[in-house]
Amino acid sequence: MSKFRKKKSNELPPVSTASLPDIVFMLLFFFMVVTVLRDDNLLVQNKLPKADQVEKLKKDRSVYIYAGKPSARYQDKFGTEAKIQIGDKYTDITNIKFALTEMRQKLLPELQDKVMVALKVDEDTNTGMVTDIKQQLRELNMLKLIYITTPGNELNN
């Protein structure tokens, strides 16, 4: 007759960690691909006004115009007068047409006629500058204009 042996211990076998490096590298590559990097280097101060009715903007068909005083690190070079920024460089009011046409060309061809201009204007910026920007936009027939704000209510804060 055969003899049956009982296991000496009821321990679980150790977990295999052979696939752990593969999983770690897969996660690393996933986050590298999915991470969105900042498009523009902000050269102007940008403390946005508050608004209580805020909507999310689709970024695939928008061109951003920033307006405000130069940031503290750029004030020595550019002064403290309010500036306009399109992309990564300052633009004069007379060069807005050229800069916006250039930015429009970077969009997908089917979206170039449906461009929305997003104004990110510092709350201390002169209204005359905004009016000048809007006049240039009218001349380019870019009539879809959005003002970017932060959520909140100015009266309560």
Side-chain angles (χ1 to χ4, degrees):
M1 198 164 192
S2 70
K3 187 175 182 183
F4 294 101
R5 291 187 190 174
K6 285 189 173 183
K7 290 184 180 178
K8 293 185 180 179
S9 65
N10 289 335
E11 293 179 12
L12 292 173
V15 176
S16 173
T17 58
S19 65
L20 191 59
D22 293 335
I23 294 170
V24 169
F25 283 114
M26 248 186 347
L27 284 172
L28 176 69
F29 288 132
F30 172 76
F31 286 115
M32 285 173 53
V33 169
V34 174
T35 302
V36 177
L37 299 176
R38 185 173 41 190
D39 290 336
D40 299 327
N41 184 16
L42 202 56
L43 304 174
V44 296
Q45 294 177 9
N46 205 271
K47 185 178 178 195
L48 299 174
K50 297 184 185 328
D52 57 357
Q53 296 179 5
V54 180
E55 284 184 37
K56 200 78 167 153
L57 174 66
K58 292 182 181 178
K59 294 185 178 185
D60 61 344
R61 61 182 220 178
S62 57
V63 174
Y64 289 91
I65 297 177
Y66 304 95
K69 294 179 181 177
S71 299
R73 62 182 174 179
Y74 297 109
Q75 285 183 355
D76 294 337
K77 189 174 182 181
F78 296 106
T80 57
E81 194 72 25
K83 301 274 185 198
I84 300 169
Q85 177 187 346
I86 299 176
D88 275 342
K89 48 191 165 189
Y90 288 126
T91 304
D92 192 32
I93 196 71
T94 58
N95 295 332
I96 285 182
K97 289 181 187 178
F98 175 72
L100 286 175
T101 306
E102 184 180 328
M103 292 298 286
R104 182 190 277 182
Q105 297 301 323
K106 291 180 181 178
L107 297 175
L108 296 172
E110 61 269 8
L111 297 176
Q112 288 180 2
D113 295 334
K114 301 173 186 172
V115 165
M116 295 179 118
V117 177
L119 281 177
K120 283 186 130 179
V121 181
D122 186 57
E123 64 184 5
D124 296 329
T125 303
N126 188 353
T127 310
M129 178 176 280
V130 177
T131 305
D132 292 342
I133 294 171
K134 287 170 48 178
Q135 185 64 35
Q136 296 293 324
L137 291 172
R138 279 188 209 116
E139 291 176 14
L140 279 173
N141 200 25
M142 297 176 95
L143 303 176
K144 294 182 182 179
L145 182 66
I146 297 172
Y147 292 96
I148 305 291
T149 61
T150 55
N153 190 347
E154 189 65 38
L155 299 177
N156 293 339
N157 294 335

